[in-house]
Amino acid sequence: MSRLALSTAKSISYRNFDRKFSLSSSLLKAYNNRNDLKNAKKVVVKLGSAVITREDQSGIALGRLASIVEQVSELQNSGKQVLMVTSGAVALGRQKVSRELLDKTLRESTQKTITKIEKSTLDKKACAATGQNGLMSLYSSLFSQYGVETAQVLVTKADFQSEHTLKHLQSTLNYLLEAKIVPILNTNDAIGYPPELTKDKEGALNINDNDSLAAKLAAMVESDLLLIMSDVNGVYNCPPSEPDSRLLENFCPSVDKNLVSFGSISNVGTGGMESKIAAAEFALENNCSVIICNGKQQNAILDSLNGKKIGTFFSNSVSSMATVENLASNARNGGRLLQTLSADKRSKIIRDYAQLLLANSRQIYEANTLDIELARKNNLSPVLLSRLSLNEKKLITLADGMQQIAANTNILGKVLKSTQLADELILKQVTVPIGVLLVIFESRPDSLPQIASLCIASGNSLLLKGGSEAFNTNKLLHKLVQDALEQFVPRETISLLNTREEINDLLQLDSKYIDLIIPRGSNQLVQNIQKNSKSIPVLGHAEGICHVFVDKDCDPDTVLKVVRDAKCDYPSACNAMETLLIHKDLVNTQLFESIINLFKSERVKLYAGPSLQKYVTDLPPAKKLNHEYSDLELTIEVADNLESAVDHINKFGSNHTESIITKNDDAAEYFLKNVDSACVFLNTSTRMADGYRFGLGAEVGISTGRLHARGPVGVEGLLTTKWLINGNAHTASDFSTGKKKFIHKVLN
Amino acid sequence: MSRLALSTAKSISYRNFDRKFSLSSSLLKAYNNRNDLKNAKKVVVKLGSAVITREDQSGIALGRLASIVEQVSELQNSGKQVLMVTSGAVALGRQKVSRELLDKTLRESTQKTITKIEKSTLDKKACAATGQNGLMSLYSSLFSQYGVETAQVLVTKADFQSEHTLKHLQSTLNYLLEAKIVPILNTNDAIGYPPELTKDKEGALNINDNDSLAAKLAAMVESDLLLIMSDVNGVYNCPPSEPDSRLLENFCPSVDKNLVSFGSISNVGTGGMESKIAAAEFALENNCSVIICNGKQQNAILDSLNGKKIGTFFSNSVSSMATVENLASNARNGGRLLQTLSADKRSKIIRDYAQLLLANSRQIYEANTLDIELARKNNLSPVLLSRLSLNEKKLITLADGMQQIAANTNILGKVLKSTQLADELILKQVTVPIGVLLVIFESRPDSLPQIASLCIASGNSLLLKGGSEAFNTNKLLHKLVQDALEQFVPRETISLLNTREEINDLLQLDSKYIDLIIPRGSNQLVQNIQKNSKSIPVLGHAEGICHVFVDKDCDPDTVLKVVRDAKCDYPSACNAMETLLIHKDLVNTQLFESIINLFKSERVKLYAGPSLQKYVTDLPPAKKLNHEYSDLELTIEVADNLESAVDHINKFGSNHTESIITKNDDAAEYFLKNVDSACVFLNTSTRMADGYRFGLGAEVGISTGRLHARGPVGVEGLLTTKWLINGNAHTASDFSTGKKKFIHKVLN
């Protein structure tokens, strides 16, 4: 098992250096997905001079260089083959030469203040020769820390124009790679060639910088991945100075090339971004994946190979960012049409959709069965399986609900406020849709028609992302809503997203594309969305830490009935009680015993808060006072009085729903007024906090935020307003000069 | 000018190693501000083993080490003196020893699959001895790249317990530092000492790890700055796993020590966070500033010295983060009281405040004069000076406005919706304040009483930040509102912030502390706040790119009157017109010429959009179509028809305010319906978009967001709602089991 036992050359022959490559090696394919990069066997790493040299361009950035050596060694030692194309010799040479010159000048000069030799006075070729030496010795000593051998290969443009030298070069490089030696390539800048030997070929990728050199070499050694590292972060859609500028994570040359506007970005680096993209394109055509990234970023090489989103990844698959931008923009346009439709037409879409669901029930069950079978194989829990499954009863209930939504579409353009500002000057505040919504929901596929109907009723366009376990069902349900939509508006008014990656891309967009995100699902989902949304508002609640406070002056039957329902009716719901606060005077009374026994009989695990621990010793202590169990578990804590109960709730609660059980009117009033939550109840279970129970119709979600909508949100939460003025040549100066006067007469 | 010309020792003598330090060198003070760290002359850098070794704890993280050498060299070459305390010898030794053992094992064994020697089988002392050698030679060769000399100093705990060895050590280190040689210290782990020589002194900082060693050395060499670098980011307020956990940017031991709860964090690193804090405290007492930071962060050493917010900075000044948390938390508590006050009491506070303003007018003018004098010296523009200045007329107008606000405080607890859900079960949606507001305003000090009055009227507590140029005026105006508040609620219900740093700290807080930020000022201010707010919603508008569209069927007089007002009445206002769209059919008509002449006579600079350029050649081209001039400048563009005008506005506008001038009812309707902006006007100047003109009373701001409030926002924008239920032992299961039925009867 000698490390030098070389494998035979790949069967696909290497011919020459232009586009023919893509034909000759058509069996190999560049990776379409960053996750596959970990499988890359041969990697070419191109280091721009900005990566290797210090900011003042004199001397080596030793830390970065050593880190690159460390990463390359790790790849090499894990069995991969790495070829490096490096700049930096000139910079190192400049440092050495100028130090020498400085010493010389100081020796010869009486003027002792000279501390620097001007860069421009140094000969570049001489610096290159001087620096090459030092650079290679530095590489060699750094790599030796990891037991990695290196080889120096200097090439010129002319070497790539002769079949003879080319073949030699190829065989040398392949031998080195197979021998587990890292070839370190650079252009032989000390040598100048006559122009006829180095002139550009037409229509081919010419070697005019290290980017094109690296691309040619990557093709030559049949590399799987080329990393082009410089001091730019990657390819941007437009110059980074523009407000809409965004780093492109993926770049598919055939699609994205026209989207990128080269501008101020192209003055960075040797060949600029255009030449980098040309080099990347060439490598990609020769079946080598490419990442253009910032070599100053820590761990960029290993992270790239681990599939992390670093720089711009070149592949032949259309980038998902372009996809989601497109989806969002189509939704915006569709929504603008949808909101101009009459209420009747919007109702008709919803009714037709309900009809289509019933008419296609057989196909829906078939799609649903596919999902369920797969979910069973994946050992989905019975609870989730039952949520996933659709049946006739569910479908009929769903269609009935949709009819109710369809009956309530006359909600746009409602005049909320109308004021006569002055003669012939009328102001109206009218309801309008918010715009484009992104709704993310989990498991239950019947959510899709509900959410879609709510959006159609309110004139909002929609991007939907359902749980992957309902893939087939959602796909069909989505097709049917598009069928219903297209009689009046484009199908793309409601789009279905397929991957998590698309969601992440959407979260990076600004509110020009999407106006509101509504995540409906687990705490984790909601928190994740809230954390990652760059600038789009998120409506919802992450936590539901709901409290019930049992006052000293209370009806025992009410207490037992309400606390049982609050905890046990549906423990995983966000409006279920998580902490029971009991007035100090009740501890160890008959009622207290009954409460404990009730929960024991319901198999609720009880935990004692710090104050209760002073009275009761047989309950395990609660780990923290703001815990959401979402299960048959409960913290019980003692409150010294009403005020301290309210303080406890405001401190440890999540501002969702709290309830007091009392017969004392003053206590009730104090609680309702001072508890700072979206829902505050008297003698009622926290479980009543729900859009349907509140009579809001279908529920969009429950919000614990204080802006826009708070608590259970109905279809009204999907509306905003705009202000309209109908005037007759009125101007601000008419009023500021006193020519006209405001009357501000309320008309409605 | 020999590099070895040593300066004499500092006059303040070094005595021994405990708290006496702080007495002996009381003339030196540790820096209170990160910005002063750039002045540090002597720096001690302590590198934890996690910084230097690779994640698998075998071998050196060469990239990080080289980067540290690079940074230390830069400091050293810029004339500073650096002393290093380094770990890492054991890890490097472990790598070398295990490689040797592996070779040996392979030679002796027939079993070829052994690839790793278990860490636990290696002797730590032997590894230390082996590694020390390699580590120092690595340091030496890396530093030599920068022409920096190093010296190896190995110490033991016992060395610190004898006056004799101590003095020797101190003089050696001082000599090295003055000679511009970097002393690299480590504990002599190869040597074991008897316990009696190394036992801990009581009540003193004992050397049990490299953190305490570094602190002692920092004191010994009278260092200005100690960097304790490990793999934790700094000191957290609580274990990083907790949801509220936050890195403390500043740490003042006398104040913050009790705030920090040590928990799961203390198992990271050798001595854990508690010992790091003890070491930092010791150094600080000996007048050496300290930063505890993550050494894996790029450029951490240089960034620390450049005053960047890296890790936790130890100083004797109370951290501004603690200050703002405190301010916000006091505001929250004050607000909870404020909202329970009757409307009459809230009115009384506002009226008393107005009264106090008039009664203290002389002092206010004096404070204002101070500000104006300073502003004149700073060459503030005449416009800003006039905004800054207060006079009798302004004060009386202000007090009048406050009386109006005081007359309208009966806005809390209003029932917006009331529904009989079932027998004895009533739901109400009532208005409540949002909570704690942060309002940031510029220059005009009369904003302060207005904003404060609006907040008192709506029951919100308030953090205020005014322009620094109005410092003295704002301070007094704020004192007076606190005087008015304290009859019913704590003064801290409204607090004034003094520094920009405090704003940045506030933006990092989560919405537990602050519910809404309202920036009132320049675009730049608003954009900056929007970008930097971590999770608190921001109400406002960054841009006002307002359009007027002149339809083909329009009244010429209305056109001329409205466009003049829209552009010229107050060009820097956000509701001023920035783009005039003209119907194609009007180009080069009489009206068109009149418009051009009008703007010329008003000295408005005109720019032609791409379509207009086809018709007109004497106007310079507009640079972009979404430009906000905020000045007497205007883009004019041609729209082919009504629809394309609407498309143009929706594409390039900022959704603020747009107006159409037309006599055609259908065109008007289409425009009002399809333009997607907060305000859409017919035959009226865009300047009419304003809370006062809309009759909303005092204006909080204008919002271009679509949630909560859109367009001009009055005091209603400072309210939210909560849902109250009054029940009688109602539970969710009563209804789901059919025992009770919902009636959902609307009561109001």
Side-chain angles (χ1 to χ4, degrees), chain A residues 19-32:
Chain A
R19 310 257 157 153
K20 289 170 205 161
F21 259 124
S22 49
L23 301 173
S24 66
S25 53
S26 61
L27 291 176
L28 299 168
K29 284 261 175 275
Y31 301 117
N32 275 334

Side-chain angles (χ1 to χ4, degrees), chain A residues 125-428:
Chain A
K125 287 189 170 53
C127 290
T130 313
Q132 190 62 45
N133 185 18
L135 186 62
M136 283 313 300
S137 111
L138 188 56
Y139 270 120
S140 167
S141 86
L142 292 173
F143 270 113
S144 73
Q145 288 288 327
Y146 302 94
V148 173
E149 284 298 329
T150 56
Q152 177 181 25
V153 182
L154 290 175
V155 295
T156 62
K157 186 169 181 174
D159 297 338
F160 282 77
Q161 302 190 343
S162 132
E163 285 275 340
H164 180 76
T165 49
L166 265 182
K167 274 189 186 159
H168 260 281
L169 180 59
Q170 186 188 18
S171 100
T172 305
L173 293 178
N174 279 333
Y175 189 92
L176 290 170
L177 289 170
E178 293 292 335
K180 297 286 178 194
I181 294 168
V182 175
I184 302 182
L185 281 93
N186 201 346
T187 46
N188 196 356
D189 290 331
I191 311 291
Y193 275 85
E196 67 271 19
L197 269 181
T198 58
K199 70 172 181 229
D200 284 359
K201 274 204 224 169
E202 228 170 279
L205 182 75
N206 288 289
I207 297 184
N208 291 321
D209 51 46
N210 274 356
D211 299 318
S212 44
L213 172 63
K216 290 265 182 178
L217 291 168
M220 183 191 266
V221 301
E222 291 175 347
S223 168
D224 306 306
L225 174 62
L226 164 63
L227 295 176
I228 298 182
M229 299 169 83
S230 68
D231 62 350
V232 290
N233 295 325
V235 185
Y236 284 79
N237 59 336
C238 60
S241 55
E242 302 261 319
D244 295 339
S245 129
R246 209 185 49 244
L247 178 68
L248 301 174
E249 283 178 353
N250 298 285
F251 190 94
C252 171
S254 60
V255 175
D256 294 326
K257 214 174 166 185
N258 300 326
L259 294 177
V260 173
S261 65
F262 300 103
S264 53
I265 46 165
S266 57
N267 56 4
V268 191
T270 328
M273 190 47 80
E274 263 177 286
S275 82
K276 282 187 176 45
I277 291 178
E281 225 182 317
F282 175 82
L284 190 61
E285 280 170 12
N286 286 285
N287 308 312
C288 174
S289 301
V290 182
I291 290 179
I292 294 183
C293 67
N294 192 331
K296 295 183 172 179
Q297 208 176 332
Q298 259 181 319
N299 221 31
I301 299 176
L302 294 181
D303 284 350
S304 292
L305 271 116
N306 284 329
K308 281 206 191 163
K309 288 197 171 172
I310 280 188
T312 302
F313 173 58
F314 282 70
S315 80
N316 289 315
S317 74
V318 179
S319 78
S320 65
M321 186 53 109
T323 315
V324 299
E325 263 190 42
N326 227 5
L327 286 175
S329 156
N330 287 338
R332 172 77 71 202
N333 293 334
R336 289 205 166 122
L337 279 177
L338 181 66
Q339 65 175 285
T340 63
L341 294 183
S342 67
D344 284 350
K345 283 185 178 161
R346 279 181 284 113
S347 292
K348 183 167 188 303
I349 297 174
I350 301 169
R351 292 207 175 93
D352 289 355
Y353 183 25
Q355 200 53 49
L356 283 170
L357 291 178
L358 297 176
N360 290 275
S361 59
R362 202 178 45 78
Q363 292 92 319
I364 293 174
Y365 302 145
E366 279 171 15
N368 193 236
T369 306
L370 279 178
D371 287 330
I372 288 173
E373 279 168 5
L374 200 64
R376 280 221 178 85
K377 275 188 202 152
N378 292 332
N379 293 317
L380 211 66
S381 74
V383 177
L384 291 180
L385 272 179
S386 113
R387 285 193 199 165
L388 177 58
S389 82
L390 285 181
N391 53 37
E392 203 185 335
K393 193 185 156 203
K394 277 194 187 178
L395 218 52
I396 289 173
T397 312
L398 179 62
D400 279 354
M402 289 165 66
Q403 296 292 347
Q404 284 174 34
I405 295 173
N408 187 28
T409 58
N410 193 17
I411 51 178
L412 296 181
K414 290 252 170 200
V415 179
L416 299 185
K417 198 175 250 180
S418 176
T419 311
Q420 175 116 34
L421 300 184
D423 281 349
E424 292 187 274
L425 189 69
I426 304 222
L427 170 75
K428 286 180 187 170

Side-chain angles (χ1 to χ4, degrees), chain A residues 54 60-64 66-67 69-70 74 92 95 99 138 142 145-147 243 296-298 332 336 339-341 417 419 421 425 427 429 432-435 515-516 537 558 561-562 565 569 624 626 650-651 655 671-685 687-688 692-696 705-708 710-712 716-717 719-736 739-740 742 744, chain B residues 54 60-64 66-67 69-70 74 92 95 99 138 142 145-147 242-244 296-298 332 336 339-341 417 419 421 425 427 429 432-435 515-516 537 558 561-562 565 569 624 650-651 655 671-685 687-688 692-696 705-708 710-712 716 719-736 739-740 742 744:
Chain A
R54 292 162 59 83
I60 293 294
L62 193 59
R64 281 202 292 272
S67 162
V69 166
E70 196 181 342
E74 184 161 332
L92 187 63
Q95 188 188 24
R99 209 184 280 159
L138 188 56
L142 292 173
Q145 288 288 327
Y146 302 94
K296 295 183 172 179
Q297 208 176 332
Q298 259 181 319
R332 172 77 71 202
R336 289 205 166 122
Q339 65 175 285
T340 63
L341 294 183
K417 198 175 250 180
T419 311
L421 300 184
L425 189 69
L427 170 75
Q429 185 183 23
V432 293
I434 289 179
D515 299 301
L516 181 64
T558 303
K561 194 177 165 212
V562 168
D565 189 78
D569 181 55
K624 51 181 191 167
N626 54 353
N650 286 338
K651 185 169 176 193
N655 308 115
F671 190 87
L672 293 182
K673 193 160 186 179
N674 287 283
V675 168
D676 191 12
S677 295
C679 304
V680 194
F681 298 167
L682 167 64
N683 295 330
T684 311
S685 165
R687 290 271 301 127
M688 295 297 289
Y692 166 70
R693 292 175 195 136
F694 276 19
L696 304 179
R706 289 154 197 265
L707 299 188
H708 189 66
R710 196 177 186 205
E716 285 167 23
L719 301 179
T720 183
T721 60
K722 69 179 178 186
W723 300 89
L724 306 177
I725 287 185
N726 191 335
N728 184 3
H730 290 75
T731 62
S733 59
D734 287 343
F735 296 91
S736 61
K739 257 169 67 186
K740 291 187 179 167
F742 284 113
H744 287 148
Chain B
R54 291 162 60 82
I60 294 293
L62 193 58
R64 280 201 291 271
S67 161
V69 166
E70 195 181 342
E74 184 161 333
L92 187 63
Q95 187 190 24
R99 210 184 281 158
L138 188 56
L142 291 174
Q145 288 289 326
Y146 301 96
E242 302 261 318
D244 296 340
K296 295 182 173 180
Q297 207 176 332
Q298 257 180 320
R332 172 76 71 203
R336 289 206 165 120
Q339 66 175 284
T340 63
L341 295 184
K417 198 176 250 182
T419 312
L421 301 184
L425 190 68
L427 170 75
Q429 185 183 24
V432 292
I434 288 179
D515 299 301
L516 181 64
T558 303
K561 192 173 165 211
V562 167
D565 190 77
D569 182 53
K624 51 182 193 169
N650 286 339
K651 186 168 176 194
N655 308 117
F671 190 86
L672 294 182
K673 195 160 186 177
N674 287 284
V675 168
D676 191 11
S677 296
C679 304
V680 194
F681 298 166
L682 167 63
N683 295 330
T684 310
S685 166
R687 290 271 301 129
M688 295 297 289
Y692 166 70
R693 293 177 195 133
F694 276 19
L696 304 179
R706 288 154 198 266
L707 299 187
H708 189 67
R710 195 178 187 206
E716 285 167 22
L719 301 178
T720 182
T721 60
K722 68 179 178 185
W723 300 89
L724 306 176
I725 287 185
N726 192 336
N728 185 3
H730 290 76
T731 63
S733 60
D734 287 342
F735 296 92
S736 61
K739 258 168 65 185
K740 292 188 179 166
F742 285 112
H744 287 147

Side-chain angles (χ1 to χ4, degrees), chain B residues 216-240:
Chain B
K216 290 262 183 179
L217 291 169
M220 184 191 265
V221 302
E222 292 175 345
S223 167
D224 307 306
L225 175 62
L226 165 63
L227 295 175
I228 299 181
M229 300 171 82
S230 68
D231 62 350
V232 290
N233 296 326
V235 185
Y236 284 79
N237 58 336
C238 61

